[in-house]
């Protein structure tokens, strides 16, 4: 086989590979589209309505991994913990100020009990740490749990007798395989 034939064979192989990747990509894209279309056209009671769903533009999916999920849970826990601790600190400060202004010993005692109770809670909560669900134990942080994808689409609501299309852009959370949609959230990107 001469060099020309080898080059021609390589070109054919590269083209075949490119075509295979293209068709695989289209199949995955169609998987996402079907999952999103089913989700948009199915109401909460499970009734499917033909809204003449049509994808206008679909972004690239973003993987949500175990590591991402752990970070979200940890950040939420720490944020809530900090708010609770700040509320307890404020309550202790108010009770201390009230106790110091009070002239009746019974009221001073009342405020001191509030201070002691809140201080005990503050000390206890300060020592807490996030407890992750069992599903995350011994699972690699790189494992993909879900996919998020932004999609611009149009529908024709049944109450529009004139057939006018309504366009919207939303973010969808799909399972790791991309064939089932869990939820839709309003996209904050500009249209």
């Amino acid at each position: 086989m001469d060099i020309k034939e080898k080059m021609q064979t390589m070109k054919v192989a590269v083209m075949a590979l490119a075509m295979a990747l293209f068709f695989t990509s289209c199949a995955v894209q169609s998987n996402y589209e079907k999952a999103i279309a089913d989700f948009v056209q199915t109401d909460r009671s499970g009734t499917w309505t033909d809204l003449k769903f049509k994808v206008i533009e679909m972004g690239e999916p973003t993987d949500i991994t175990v590591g991402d999920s752990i970070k979200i849970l940890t950040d939420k826990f720490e944020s809530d913990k900090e708010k609770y601790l700040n509320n307890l600190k404020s309550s202790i400060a108010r009770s201390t100020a009230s106790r110091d202004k009070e002239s009746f010993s019974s009221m001073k005692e009342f405020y001191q009990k509030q201070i002691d109770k809140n201080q005990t809670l503050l000390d206890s909560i300060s020592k807490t740490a996030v407890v992750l669900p069992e599903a995350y134990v011994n699972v690699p942080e790189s494992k993909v749990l879900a996919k998020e994808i932004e999609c611009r689409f149009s529908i024709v609501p049944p109450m529009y007798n004139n057939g006018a299309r309504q366009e919207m852009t939303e973010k969808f959370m799909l399972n790791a395989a991309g064939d089932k949609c869990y939820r839709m959230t309003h996209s904050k990107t500009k249209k």
Side-chain angles (χ1 to χ4, degrees):
M1 197 183 271
D2 71 345
I3 201 103
K4 253 186 173 178
E5 288 175 335
K6 285 182 183 178
M7 290 298 285
Q8 187 65 24
T9 304
M10 288 203 39
K11 281 183 185 179
V12 170
V14 168
M15 289 297 284
L17 180 62
M19 293 294 282
L21 289 173
F22 173 75
F23 287 121
T24 302
S25 171
C26 288
V28 169
Q29 184 81 0
S30 128
N31 220 15
Y32 299 149
E33 185 175 331
K34 180 179 178 343
I36 291 170
D38 287 346
F39 185 83
V40 168
Q41 297 179 108
T42 304
D43 67 15
R44 291 182 185 193
S45 63
T47 305
W48 187 86
T49 304
D50 184 8
L51 300 176
K52 297 178 183 25
F53 178 91
K54 181 180 176 190
V55 170
I56 298 168
E57 182 180 353
M58 189 175 298
E60 286 297 314
T62 303
D63 290 342
I64 309 296
T65 63
V66 169
D68 297 329
S69 187
I70 288 172
K71 182 175 178 356
I72 290 167
L73 291 172
T74 303
D75 290 350
K76 174 78 170 122
F77 174 83
E78 291 300 329
S79 171
D80 290 350
K81 177 180 168 180
E82 190 63 31
K83 286 177 191 172
Y84 196 60
L85 290 175
N86 287 336
N87 286 339
L88 286 171
K89 289 174 185 174
S90 294
S91 180
I92 290 170
R94 282 191 309 274
S95 293
T96 302
S98 296
R99 179 198 64 195
D100 293 346
K101 290 179 191 175
E102 191 57 58
S103 57
F104 293 110
S105 62
S106 62
M107 287 306 292
K108 282 184 180 261
E109 232 176 85
F110 170 78
Y111 287 122
Q112 188 58 50
K113 284 181 182 177
Q114 288 295 104
I115 293 167
D116 294 343
K117 180 179 111 181
N118 285 334
Q119 187 62 51
T120 302
L121 265 173
L122 182 94
D123 294 341
S124 175
I125 291 171
S126 295
K127 296 174 188 171
T128 61
V130 69
V131 177
L132 297 173
E134 280 293 317
Y136 294 159
V137 177
N138 299 324
V139 177
E141 286 194 7
S142 60
K143 180 180 179 188
V144 176
L145 298 174
K147 294 185 180 292
E148 185 177 60
I149 191 165
E150 188 172 82
C151 180
R152 186 167 157 234
F153 61 94
S154 67
I155 57 171
V156 179
M159 65 285 264
Y160 287 13
N161 292 332
N162 61 0
R165 294 188 89 57
Q166 185 179 37
E167 283 187 18
M168 54 193 77
T169 302
E170 305 291 347
K171 281 190 177 178
F172 295 90
M173 185 69 67
L174 291 90
N175 64 359
D179 59 1
K180 179 163 176 49
C181 188
Y182 295 130
R183 74 171 179 260
M184 171 176 73
T185 55
H186 183 63
S187 178
K188 292 180 171 84
T189 60
K190 292 184 180 180
K191 297 176 188 175

